[in-house]
Amino acid sequence: MSQLAGHLIVECLIEQGVQRAYGVPGESYLAVLDGFHAYADRLRFISCRQEGGAAFMAEAEGKLTGRPGVLFVTRGPGATNATVGIHTAFQDSTPMVVFIGDVASDMRDREAFQEIDFRVFLGASTQGLAKRVERIDDARRIPEYIARAFATAMNGRPGPVVLVLPEDMLMQAVDARPLPRVAPVQYQGDAQAAAELQRLLTGAERPLVIAGGPGWTPAAAQALQDFAERWRLPVGNAFRFQDTFDNRHPQYAGDVGIAINPRLAERVRAADLLLVVGPRLGEMTTGGYALIEAPRPAQRLVHIHPDPAELGRVYQADLAVCASMPGAAAMLAALPASAAVHWQDWTAAAHADYLANLQPQALPGPIDMPAIVATLARLLPEDAVVTNGAGNFASWVHRFWRYRGIARGHKTQLAPTNGAMGYGVPAGIAAAIATGRTVFTIAGDGDFLMNGQELATAVQHGARTIIVLLNNGSYGTIRMHQEREFPARVSGSELRNPDFAALARAYGYAGECITRTDEFEPALRAALARREGTLIEVMLDAEVITTRGTLSGIREQALRARAARD
């Protein structure tokens, strides 16, 4: 029985297990929108307010589920708006499939209305957007293209895949049927790799595990934890993969990323063996390729990663193992601990350093951010999802929030390793829609205004999130760097903001504004009791620019350094 090609696309998504697709509707894919209507009882289309927000929602769903998040946008302006989320999926190694409605076939190559060559614009040659871009010209091959897109998005290093849909193709009648659900390929290191890993571990004096990256399941994370316990290894989590290993575990050493605990940084340098399981060792985790020197680290390096193209690309490891995270977990689970393990004191000291870093420095002003994070940790459910975008505001949760590990059943952190501002609000909305769990989003004033309009999406689709917005009247990270490099010369980083609490209420959220720490707990308790979402605006002095120091202190230090040079 024939049907519209646009309906077949929806059928194929249902076959792949997709329950939600995010996007902004466009006339270039009306036949798909009609398919969403036809199958509304099996697949929800979440209509968003801007393609960048929609892309972040699809990316967040990919992070949460390990299956590709699905995004639909129209050609030209729609696709260009979406690139921020596509780039995030690429750098964060998140599986994602993006469908772009395109000009009709008979309009191609004339610079038709909103026409773009998407293979050039988004393809692999960009080295930072899509893994693969394909155009479906023959409606009979829709099942083939969609199955391949899901496989490509999940296998190797996960990432975004783009399928371009000519408008006229979607209107064709077609008899094809969906192909079966695609599962990611699992693979692990061989016996020789396992034996070499055991030899390196046995010969180490000061080993350190750095875990993170994509593809972790609760079972794989539990196997990593069992392995670490058996070998009594300290474990740190890579930048913005802080939920890989449970932060309350007595062998947890802290997060290896921006604003790293100085004691942990010294421990990374002092280690004689780094066992890196999952992350690609990017700029943020490696401290600008200086904390872990590229291309040949001072430490011995074991690098386990799901993509052979990533192994040896930046770092020359002593042992490189290509394995999916479940496959890596199986290899580690089969590795018996040596009787020669003698670094218990090293591991205990690493955890003690982490605990010491949870003790805050005294900072000025009526807002005590560590106390606010402690209140959130005390009142929110253990399985709450924590989301953030990019800015110094995120450092409060990076340092003081203790993420529950994936081994306990759920992913609890959604954060962009590519430093995309505006990520936290839409990611939180997607998490609320997809999981029904409590969602806490921390945002800055500049960060919120990138995608605050998606509160309208949350209200329309019944998503309830709690947003804590730190309003310091500035692009704080940029201001901090300005004071370091060009002290007392402020340019472009000051903000004149709206009344955020009133803005939230206009969208249908509750909105409150606090100016003192003791006002926060009542506001949070009220937010937890409400059926609708809540935005709590926290008026934070820009002087409190980091978790460790002040803006004036950074400026004075830079001025002294400049005077010494002169």
Side-chain angles (χ1 to χ4, degrees):
M1 181 177 177
S2 63
Q3 62 179 323
L4 284 178
H7 286 216
L8 176 59
I9 285 175
V10 178
E11 283 192 352
C12 289
L13 293 177
I14 292 169
E15 187 68 29
Q16 293 301 326
V18 176
Q19 295 178 309
R20 288 161 298 275
Y22 303 87
V24 175
E27 69 273 19
S28 59
Y29 64 95
L30 291 175
V32 179
L33 292 171
D34 191 68
F36 288 139
H37 183 273
Y39 293 97
D41 59 333
R42 300 176 66 186
L43 194 161
R44 289 177 70 187
F45 179 66
I46 309 298
S47 183
C48 305
R49 299 305 181 268
Q50 206 261 8
E51 291 87 357
F56 282 146
M57 291 187 202
E59 196 276 348
E61 175 127 354
K63 273 193 174 85
L64 281 168
T65 66
R67 301 279 302 177
V70 174
L71 172 68
F72 277 84
V73 296
T74 196
R75 58 202 180 218
T80 53
N81 280 344
T83 54
V84 64
I86 297 171
H87 175 61
T88 302
F90 187 94
Q91 286 225 322
D92 288 39
S93 303
T94 304
M96 183 176 178
V97 176
V98 181
F99 294 87
I100 301 176
D102 198 18
V103 301
S105 302
D106 60 352
M107 301 291 179
R108 286 180 63 187
D109 303 323
R110 293 175 172 173
E111 195 186 341
F113 182 62
Q114 301 179 338
E115 182 180 11
I116 290 177
D117 185 334
F118 291 108
R119 283 195 176 95
V120 174
F121 178 55
L122 298 171
S125 64
T126 63
Q127 300 185 58
L129 288 170
K131 286 181 71 175
R132 189 181 184 97
V133 178
E134 296 191 323
R135 179 185 175 92
I136 307 178
D137 289 307
D138 185 344
R140 295 170 299 179
R141 296 180 63 188
I142 284 172
E144 171 194 344
Y145 277 103
I146 290 180
R148 180 162 64 232
F150 273 71
T152 303
M154 290 186 290
N155 290 332
R157 177 182 168 187
V161 175
V162 173
L163 292 178
V164 181
L165 311 174
E167 184 176 353
D168 56 330
M169 181 276 294
L170 295 174
M171 297 297 293
Q172 293 175 9
V174 63
D175 294 325
R177 303 304 305 157
L179 290 173
R181 177 185 171 107
V182 173
V185 176
Q186 305 298 341
Y187 41 97
Q188 66 186 73
D190 57 18
Q192 183 178 352
E196 179 62 8
L197 173 57
Q198 186 163 28
R199 186 189 72 80
L200 289 168
L201 277 169
T202 302
E205 298 286 335
R206 298 173 304 281
L208 176 66
V209 177
I210 301 176
W216 288 96
T217 63
Q222 183 61 57
L224 172 68
Q225 181 175 309
D226 294 344
F227 164 76
E229 290 171 351
R230 211 164 51 247
W231 284 85
R232 302 174 189 174
L233 293 162
V235 181
N237 287 330
F239 177 60
R240 290 184 172 165
F241 290 103
Q242 285 175 251
D243 59 354
T244 307
F245 191 87
D246 198 294
N247 294 188
R248 294 186 181 274
H249 193 282
Q251 290 168 224
Y252 183 58
D255 63 297
V256 184
I258 293 175
I260 186 173
N261 177 0
R263 291 183 181 178
L264 179 54
E266 287 304 314
R267 193 167 297 279
V268 173
R269 294 187 185 96
D272 62 352
L273 176 66
L274 297 177
L275 172 52
V276 178
V277 187
R280 64 184 179 91
L281 288 178
E283 180 183 353
M284 297 299 101
T285 297
T286 64
Y289 309 105
L291 179 63
I292 303 172
E293 295 179 11
R296 187 69 180 173
Q299 313 89 331
R300 287 191 169 184
L301 174 63
V302 176
H303 194 183
I304 302 175
H305 193 273
D307 195 334
E310 194 62 39
L311 295 166
R313 187 170 72 88
V314 178
Y315 285 93
Q316 298 300 310
D318 295 270
L319 174 63
V321 180
C322 185
S324 63
M325 292 308 97
M331 183 180 78
L332 297 177
L335 205 65
S338 168
V341 170
H342 52 272
W343 47 70
Q344 295 93 321
D345 291 347
W346 162 264
T347 300
H351 186 63
D353 288 347
Y354 165 69
L355 294 178
N357 192 52
L358 294 175
Q359 302 306 309
Q361 285 79 8
L363 293 169
I367 294 293
D368 182 345
M369 279 305 302
I372 284 176
V373 175
T375 299
L376 285 156
R378 176 164 48 87
L379 295 181
L380 294 184
E382 280 196 351
D383 65 351
V385 183
V386 181
T387 78
N388 62 265
N392 275 22
F393 66 86
S395 63
W396 299 107
V397 289
H398 288 344
R399 180 176 174 186
F400 295 112
W401 189 267
R402 302 181 75 177
Y403 289 89
R404 192 172 90 153
I406 294 172
R408 297 178 66 186
H410 298 290
K411 186 165 179 60
T412 56
Q413 183 186 35
L414 294 175
T417 70
N418 73 330
M421 292 181 69
Y423 178 86
V425 170
I429 293 166
I433 292 171
T435 71
R437 287 149 56 195
T438 299
V439 176
F440 153 48
T441 296
I442 188 166
D445 43 359
D447 176 81
F448 177 84
L449 286 171
M450 297 280 179
N451 272 312
Q453 78 284 341
E454 297 304 337
L455 294 192
T457 303
V459 171
Q460 179 175 344
H461 294 280
R464 171 181 172 269
T465 66
I466 297 171
I467 300 169
V468 177
L469 188 155
L470 308 188
N471 182 354
N472 64 2
S474 70
Y475 288 120
T477 305
I478 307 308
R479 177 70 186 277
M480 176 187 70
H481 289 301
Q482 282 180 331
E483 295 292 1
R484 283 177 175 165
E485 302 297 329
F486 301 96
R489 295 174 64 84
V490 181
S491 176
S493 55
E494 295 179 318
L495 296 175
R496 180 173 178 176
N497 286 318
D499 180 335
F500 286 108
L503 182 60
R505 290 192 292 270
Y507 282 120
Y509 263 46
E512 296 195 39
C513 181
I514 70 165
T515 58
R516 301 190 319 271
T517 305
D518 61 4
E519 297 173 329
F520 182 76
E521 182 167 335
L524 179 60
R525 288 186 179 276
L528 287 167
R530 289 189 189 100
R531 296 184 63 181
E532 70 267 35
T534 300
L535 183 148
I536 304 172
E537 181 180 6
V538 179
M539 303 304 293
L540 185 66
D541 193 329
E543 175 71 359
V544 185
I545 199 65
T546 75
T547 67
R548 302 181 193 277
T550 62
L551 203 59
S552 59
I554 292 169
R555 181 191 308 123
E556 289 163 8
Q557 184 178 8
L559 288 170
R560 286 195 300 270
R562 176 171 292 184
R565 289 195 303 269
D566 294 344

